[in-house]
Amino acid sequence: DVKVTQSSRYLVKRTGEKVFLECVQDMDHENMFWYRQDPGLGLRLIYFSYDVKMKEKGDIPEGYSVSREKKERFSLILESASTNQTSMYLCASSGITGTTNEKLFFGSGTQLSVL
Amino acid sequence: QKEVEQDPGPLSVPEGAIVSLNCTYSNSAFQYFMWYRQYSRKGPELLMYTYSSGNKEDGRFTAQVDKSSKYISLFIRDSQPSDSATYLCAMRRTGGFKTIFGAGTRLFVKA
């Protein structure tokens, strides 16, 4: 089974702190994604990566950056955390688009609270 | 208008009932349709995955896609309390990286 592991289940940070959210997948997937999930708004795509060192903006990239130095690892960075970034953050991975391995698999999520 | 519309519920049914969950969408380019189940404080897990129109059955779950009406459904037969969760519809166009999600419907199955 695909396993997507997020480093923290819960995080509490202060406004202005730099925050790192880490995600690792063990299925050699090409694509990795960061979503945030808020009540009533569903899942919104922040950034995605289709290859090592490659990144693309999603629908809500403002205030975030990402890093993908290795195929299995995709990091989300909040340069200066703000209270409106309090949310559930979900990492996901998938295989090559257009193949049978392109289904999206999620980690358990990181609930981030910014005070 | 959102690309994918899904009634947030909550939907409450007695154990053993047939549950019908639905989504509508506006982008005719969507070809891949998915249903995810998400338990409280967990990540979504893939439940059903279909390509283009038609039906797909897996145990107590049946997914239907009607591309002419831009409407997808998930049916749960003989619902169980363990089915209580949020159900998210999702879809993607061929060759696209982005999966678009509905807001999710909260389902409660009462014993």
Side-chain angles (χ1 to χ4, degrees):
Chain A
D1 281 351
V2 174
K3 191 166 184 181
V4 180
T5 303
Q6 294 184 229
S7 54
S8 304
R9 284 290 287 122
Y10 300 96
L11 273 181
V12 180
K13 296 292 181 181
R14 296 205 176 275
T15 302
E17 278 193 80
K18 191 168 186 176
V19 182
F20 293 87
L21 302 182
E22 306 286 344
C23 176
V24 177
Q25 51 96 3
D26 66 359
M27 281 300 291
D28 200 34
H29 279 168
E30 283 69 24
N31 306 319
M32 295 189 75
F33 305 80
W34 277 105
Y35 287 86
R36 65 178 280 178
Q37 185 176 28
D38 301 286
L41 297 177
L43 275 75
R44 293 180 291 166
L45 182 63
I46 305 171
Y47 267 98
F48 67 96
S49 169
Y50 53 87
D51 201 351
V52 175
K53 297 191 185 296
M54 304 303 291
K55 60 185 179 183
E56 293 284 343
K57 293 180 180 179
D59 299 316
I60 51 164
E62 297 78 19
Y64 303 95
S65 62
V66 291
S67 173
R68 193 167 181 200
E69 297 296 319
K70 293 184 178 181
K71 189 175 185 180
E72 68 272 17
R73 188 178 297 270
F74 193 35
S75 302
L76 179 69
I77 302 148
L78 286 67
E79 295 290 343
S80 178
S82 63
T83 55
N84 62 12
Q85 292 179 309
T86 291
S87 185
M88 168 73 94
Y89 289 88
L90 291 161
C91 175
S93 72
S94 70
I96 296 174
T97 302
T99 72
T100 56
N101 199 27
E102 62 183 342
K103 300 170 188 176
L104 203 58
F105 293 90
F106 285 88
S108 293
T110 295
Q111 180 63 52
L112 172 67
S113 296
V114 182
L115 306 178
Chain B
Q1 183 189 4
K2 293 181 180 178
E3 277 192 286
V4 179
E5 297 278 1
Q6 183 175 11
D7 187 336
L11 180 62
S12 183
V13 301
E15 182 176 359
I18 296 174
V19 176
S20 172
L21 304 167
N22 310 294
C23 286
T24 59
Y25 63 95
S26 57
N27 189 342
S28 58
F30 289 141
Q31 291 280 5
Y32 297 91
F33 302 91
M34 293 140 281
W35 286 95
Y36 285 82
R37 178 176 61 194
Q38 185 176 22
Y39 291 114
S40 182
R41 290 184 285 277
K42 297 283 190 181
E45 57 177 328
L46 183 64
L47 200 57
M48 300 290 281
Y49 178 89
T50 55
Y51 173 74
S52 195
S53 284
N55 294 357
K56 184 173 183 179
E57 188 173 321
D58 184 1
R60 296 184 295 111
F61 298 90
T62 300
Q64 286 186 353
V65 176
D66 181 349
K67 290 190 68 183
S68 62
S69 301
K70 297 190 180 69
Y71 189 88
I72 69 170
S73 301
L74 177 70
F75 297 97
I76 306 174
R77 291 183 298 281
D78 188 26
S79 56
Q80 303 295 310
S82 58
D83 295 327
S84 297
T86 296
Y87 290 81
L88 301 152
C89 65
M91 46 201 79
R92 184 169 52 78
R93 60 178 179 82
T94 301
F97 287 100
K98 289 174 60 173
T99 300
I100 309 300
F101 287 82
T105 299
R106 287 199 71 185
L107 172 67
F108 296 95
V109 181
K110 297 180 178 179

